[in-house]
Amino acid sequence: MPDIRPIGPQDPGRVGGHRITGRLGGAVYLAESPAGERVVVRLLPTGLDGERLLAAVEPLRQVSAFCTAEILDTGTADGRPYIVSEYIDGPTLKEAVVADGTLHGAALHRLAVGTVTALVAGHQAGVTHGGIRPENVILGPDGPRVIDFGVAGAFPDSGSGATRPVGVPAFTAPELLHGADPAPPSDLFAWAATLVYAATGRSPFDGGSTAVTVNRVVHDEPVLEAVPDDLRGVVASCLAKDPAARPAASDVLLKLIGELLTADLGPAPSPAPAARRSRGLLLGAGAVAIALVSAGAVYLTVPERAIPAAASPPAERSASPAGEPLPAATATATRETVLYPLEEVAKASKDVTLPGVGVTLHEHPEDPVRLGAYVRLTRPAATFAREKGKDTFREVDPGTLPVLSPDERFAALNPSEKFTQSDIDYLKITEVATGEAFTVPTVKQPFEGFSQPMWSADGSTVLLSIRESAKRVIAGFAIVDVRARKSTFVVTEHIGGENDLFTFAPGGLVARRYFDGKKTGADFFDLEGQVVRTMHWVGDPRGIDWFSPSGKLFYTVCPKREQGLCVWDTATGNRRQTVPLGHEGLRVLGWFNENHLLVQRPAGKNRQVQVVDFTGGVQRVLAGLEAGEEKAYLRFTRRQAS
């Protein structure tokens, strides 16, 4: 809980419609928004150019706020610019280390991933933080958040002798001490120094005084002996004196994800409240002089520079680590930008009518997704699977929904009637064309296969969520090797509710909806059942087909449900798009291709299965369903690439 002090007679009572309720320190206030939400109001020094302020801060409003404090508003009050941001309830990293000691193990790794992810998001939006340090990292209830992103860019320079803050020397890159402008490499330096503080309780350059600390930053190597081995290499590379030698934030994120995927971190803990040598100060003639030290910040004289009206994303270095970890995104998108080369949606070339259920398919031979199976809900109820390469459907076992393999040859069926002949559950695999079938034992009571089967992209394995029926919880998952006719049951370190089903995720992982009673998101598990990544900010994944064909993206119902669907970057967790679809009668069915989703929703008196783009526009109607009582449940299949 941050230290909130009462306001005094000199403090403002209201700023831009936000009622001030407490002081957080300096000119930073806790406030109540017009909507009644707690927010943070930061008053900036008088004399700042309002247009420059907006130009510096506006790109951040396009950045997903899961690892940063979301910028909510900017403006000017009584001639003084201000920034309104999201309030994060939690201690700063500095407060947590002072009160509870240093971070280690999983807590330290999650801090590293969360904070560098914030840098990736900001840098891709063209914004440099310019002042990362332990006081600017808050350990919130949903993970670490980097605050004050972009505030440094709001301070213009105005002629000879002007000053600007460059942060605390112990966390300031050497080029900034020489008068350079903040840039992504300087953020990486400050991030690494902050991570060292989290692990050791000290900056790697702390000299006990400003002069000695500045000298160590400029000349000495960092002291990293107490930093864990699996983090020391990436930290050292970010602390290089030469900015050009430091990796890009996206490269660091890839490296950390690779470490997480191979490290045994143990069970995920609750959110954590997450060397010195003497040498004289030696600043040459080309170095800048310290003008003054005030309130813990160093102000340096710097030459005048202009803040661009609109910043463009910096060029990121390409990463090529071994093992091909999850890819980093290359752009932060709005609704007007293209994430990846567009895959066109071909117009329908034929209609296929499903007899007796009021469904007409509008198909094209090259469709990457088409109806693979359906259940007739009217009497007599029956189940049908599509025959490979045909428009005809063959009746298969009743009472269950078949899931067609990507090559459209086999159907996987999880029986609805359990344990009729033994206490062993099983998965049934049927060759649709011939009707030949075999079963693979999966689990023994009290466990049972609970979800629709999910095929891997190559059709070699099937994933099932496993329920402990007496407790009505999802306790793990089963991987069925279809060729070997064997299965492996994995009990996970965290259980979930009956709606928290597993799905295949990129990088050899599985993922599951996360829900703690209030917040929804995603957990990523390795094949031993250990959580290796968490994204508890992304909203509510639906079904078991929420990853795009490449695995680079996934969708959820947005955290603020009225926004529609949110599309997220799998590697970084950045929000890539908000798809305004509404929720009335909406059923999200999955992905059509890399930049189109498949949804079922009302269309006049009838219903339609639609292919929609990221703006919510309907590009194609894939199926029409007659008005009235729903007569069929449809299951679409992603076809194997030819």
Side-chain angles (χ1 to χ4, degrees):
M1 190 72 184
D3 182 20
I4 303 173
R5 298 184 289 278
I7 58 175
Q10 303 302 316
D11 295 317
R14 190 173 292 272
V15 174
H18 304 277
R19 185 174 66 86
I20 303 300
T21 59
R23 179 193 284 272
L24 296 173
V28 183
Y29 298 93
L30 180 66
E32 184 180 278
S33 74
E37 297 178 341
R38 301 177 91 185
V39 297
V40 174
V41 175
R42 172 184 287 276
L43 291 176
L44 301 178
T46 57
L48 292 186
D49 187 323
E51 293 185 2
R52 286 186 172 186
L53 170 65
L54 291 174
V57 175
E58 186 61 26
L60 284 171
R61 303 184 74 168
Q62 305 299 326
V63 175
S64 175
F66 65 91
C67 283
T68 64
E70 183 178 5
I71 302 295
L72 303 173
D73 190 20
T74 59
T76 302
D78 297 326
R80 193 169 182 181
Y82 66 85
I83 298 174
V84 180
S85 60
E86 177 186 8
Y87 172 72
I88 311 299
D89 189 2
T92 67
L93 175 60
K94 182 174 182 178
E95 291 169 341
V97 170
V98 170
D100 302 310
T102 58
L103 276 61
H104 54 85
L108 184 62
H109 281 81
R110 292 187 175 102
L111 175 74
V113 170
T115 49
V116 82
T117 299
L119 289 187
V120 172
H123 292 174
Q124 289 177 350
V127 181
T128 298
H129 188 288
I132 294 175
R133 57 185 185 273
E135 295 91 333
N136 281 339
V137 175
I138 294 181
L139 303 182
D142 56 353
R145 302 278 199 105
V146 178
I147 64 171
D148 291 350
F149 217 118
V151 170
F155 289 86
D157 307 312
S158 55
S160 175
T163 63
R164 66 168 170 84
V166 295
V168 178
F171 303 94
T172 301
E175 64 270 19
L176 298 189
L177 297 175
H178 285 287
D181 295 337
S186 60
D187 277 352
L188 270 297
F189 186 98
W191 169 83
T194 299
L195 198 63
V196 173
Y197 176 87
T200 68
R202 308 183 169 191
S203 155
F205 303 102
D206 189 5
S209 70
T210 299
V212 175
T213 297
V214 169
N215 189 65
R216 289 181 176 178
V217 169
V218 173
H219 296 287
D220 290 359
E221 293 303 312
V223 178
L224 302 177
E225 284 78 4
V227 177
D229 292 344
D230 53 356
L231 290 175
R232 191 179 304 148
V234 70
V235 166
S237 66
C238 292
L239 292 174
K241 304 299 183 189
D242 181 3
R246 298 172 204 149
S250 57
D251 292 357
V252 173
L253 179 61
L254 287 170
K255 172 65 175 175
L256 293 175
I257 290 174
E259 294 289 350
L260 283 171
L261 294 181
T262 57
D264 181 11
L265 300 180
S270 301
R276 303 182 177 183
R277 291 184 294 167
S278 177
R279 187 171 179 178
L281 178 64
L282 300 174
L283 294 179
V288 288
I290 297 178
L292 59 100
V293 179
S294 174
V298 179
Y299 292 79
L300 305 178
T301 59
V302 295
E304 182 177 3
R305 64 181 174 88
I307 296 179
S312 58
E316 296 278 354
R317 300 179 182 90
S318 60
S320 56
E324 296 183 357
L326 300 178
T330 57
T332 297
T334 65
R335 291 182 189 172
E336 291 72 39
T337 56
V338 176
L339 294 172
Y340 302 99
L342 284 174
E343 297 177 72
E344 294 186 1
V345 178
K347 295 181 180 180
S349 60
K350 62 180 177 180
D351 293 341
V352 177
T353 299
L354 304 182
V357 295
V359 175
T360 300
L361 309 176
H362 309 293
E363 298 188 330
H364 186 280
E366 301 301 321
D367 284 345
V369 169
R370 66 175 184 170
L371 187 70
Y374 69 96
V375 175
R376 187 171 65 205
L377 302 176
T378 57
R379 294 187 178 182
T383 300
F384 300 87
R386 191 167 201 149
E387 295 185 89
K388 180 178 176 63
K390 299 181 180 180
D391 297 333
T392 55
F393 292 78
R394 180 183 292 268
E395 188 170 351
V396 293
D397 291 20
T400 187
L401 177 62
V403 179
L404 211 59
S405 61
D407 64 3
E408 300 183 315
R409 181 182 173 188
F410 296 101
L413 302 101
N414 178 27
S416 55
E417 294 293 330
K418 302 288 184 180
F419 312 117
T420 57
Q421 298 179 350
S422 75
D423 60 354
I424 303 296
D425 201 359
Y426 63 90
L427 181 72
K428 185 174 183 179
I429 305 294
T430 297
E431 186 171 15
V432 178
T434 65
E436 295 181 2
F438 62 88
T439 61
V440 180
T442 53
V443 291
K444 184 178 181 179
Q445 285 184 308
F447 299 103
E448 64 179 3
F450 184 65
S451 65
Q452 295 178 19
M454 183 179 187
W455 289 88
S456 60
D458 64 0
S460 64
T461 57
V462 175
L463 174 69
L464 275 174
S465 296
I466 301 298
R467 180 175 75 163
E468 189 172 358
S469 54
K471 297 180 180 179
R472 303 184 69 84
V473 296
I474 299 297
F477 56 89
I479 299 288
V480 178
D481 186 327
V482 176
R483 297 188 183 105
R485 302 188 182 186
K486 295 180 179 179
S487 69
T488 302
F489 174 33
V490 179
V491 178
T492 53
E493 62 169 305
H494 296 314
I495 63 173
E498 290 185 328
N499 293 324
D500 305 336
L501 303 177
F502 285 95
T503 182
F504 280 120
L509 306 178
V510 296
R512 181 174 68 184
R513 174 182 181 265
Y514 162 89
F515 182 58
D516 63 3
K518 294 182 179 180
K519 185 176 299 183
T520 51
D523 279 335
F524 292 74
F525 296 76
D526 62 20
L527 296 186
E528 295 181 351
Q530 300 296 308
V531 174
V532 295
R533 295 183 70 193
T534 60
M535 294 185 182
H536 294 170
W537 56 84
V538 297
D540 194 357
R542 291 296 175 91
I544 57 173
D545 189 25
W546 29 286
F547 286 97
S548 68
S550 71
K552 294 179 180 178
L553 304 173
F554 66 92
Y555 70 80
T556 67
V557 175
C558 291
K560 297 180 180 179
R561 298 174 61 88
E562 67 278 3
Q563 293 177 336
L565 296 182
C566 285
V567 177
W568 305 88
D569 185 293
T570 306
T572 66
N574 290 349
R575 185 186 300 193
R576 287 298 178 212
Q577 207 74 30
T578 301
V579 186
L581 292 175
H583 296 285
E584 189 66 30
L586 178 72
R587 182 185 296 168
V588 188
L589 303 179
W591 290 81
F592 183 76
N593 58 25
E594 194 67 18
N595 42 49
H596 292 87
L597 296 168
L598 202 61
V599 302
Q600 179 178 319
R601 61 181 175 183
K605 295 182 179 181
N606 299 322
R607 296 178 299 277
Q608 292 180 343
V609 175
Q610 301 171 345
V611 179
V612 298
D613 61 26
F614 287 163
T615 69
V618 180
Q619 299 298 307
R620 163 94 169 275
V621 175
L622 206 61
L625 292 75
E626 293 178 358
E629 182 180 358
E630 194 164 4
K631 299 177 181 179
Y633 183 85
L634 310 180
R635 173 69 190 187
F636 288 83
T637 298
R638 174 159 302 285
R639 303 167 70 189
Q640 201 165 49
S642 56

